[in-house]
Amino acid sequence: MTELREDHRNMAVVLDLLDELVVQMDAGKNPDFELFDEIMRYMTVYPDAVHHPKEDVVYEQLRQNRPDLSEHLDHVPDDHNDIAHLGSLLRDEVEAINAGAAVRREKMIEDTAAYVQRLRNHMQWEEQDLFKRIDKMLEAQPHTVDVSEYEHIKDPVFELEIEAGFRRMIASLK
Ligand SMILES: [Fe+2]
Ligand SMILES: [Fe+2]
């Protein structure tokens, strides 16, 4: 749970970077589209590929071990799929721009703002609801969750600081 919460803090910082890009586009300026591209690639290789699947494992354990704490949670895996889908659409738009295609500014602003909002709401809900249920389960049975499958996968930006491919992002975070 410590790791999942840490991921959220990191994602919140990345969403703030996306917000700045929206503000720039809204002001009629061209944002740093390479930074934009790095951010969207980061979202697909870590939050979508590691953070959300880890949460799905924890959530599945909650459902199996504590049906009493699992009411009204059936939407969780769908939420993760929706977010991954929105993220990959946005990443495709940014890649298209970087490849020279014309994408309407208005659409870019709308899609980016919607993505940021969706993810913020999702994380907020998890922290206020889902994570509290999981904390309860772990208090009663501390060893119920096995996420060892994902343990070796480190965050390429916040933990490993891999410059290759994330240079602009890492510079923006400093
Ligand atoms: Fe999630
Ligand atoms: Fe999450």
Side-chain angles (χ1 to χ4, degrees), residues 8 51-52 55 122-123 126 131:
H8 277 198
H51 175 82
H52 290 148
E55 286 175 341
H122 174 73
M123 292 198 296
E126 284 181 333
F131 286 6

Side-chain angles (χ1 to χ4, degrees), residues 41-100:
R41 201 150 30 79
Y42 168 74
M43 295 310 291
T44 51
V45 299
Y46 190 76
D48 290 336
V50 181
H51 175 82
H52 290 148
K54 230 192 250 175
E55 286 175 341
D56 287 338
V57 170
V58 178
Y59 160 68
E60 190 49 41
Q61 294 298 322
L62 179 73
R63 239 170 43 100
Q64 282 178 20
N65 293 317
R66 297 294 301 267
D68 58 314
L69 291 174
S70 304
E71 278 174 12
H72 313 297
L73 288 182
D74 293 340
H75 60 91
V76 176
D78 284 342
D79 281 355
H80 288 159
N81 287 337
D82 286 354
I83 289 166
H85 181 64
L86 284 176
S88 68
L89 288 179
L90 191 54
R91 192 199 51 204
D92 290 348
E93 281 177 54
V94 177
E95 278 177 5
I97 290 178
N98 282 333

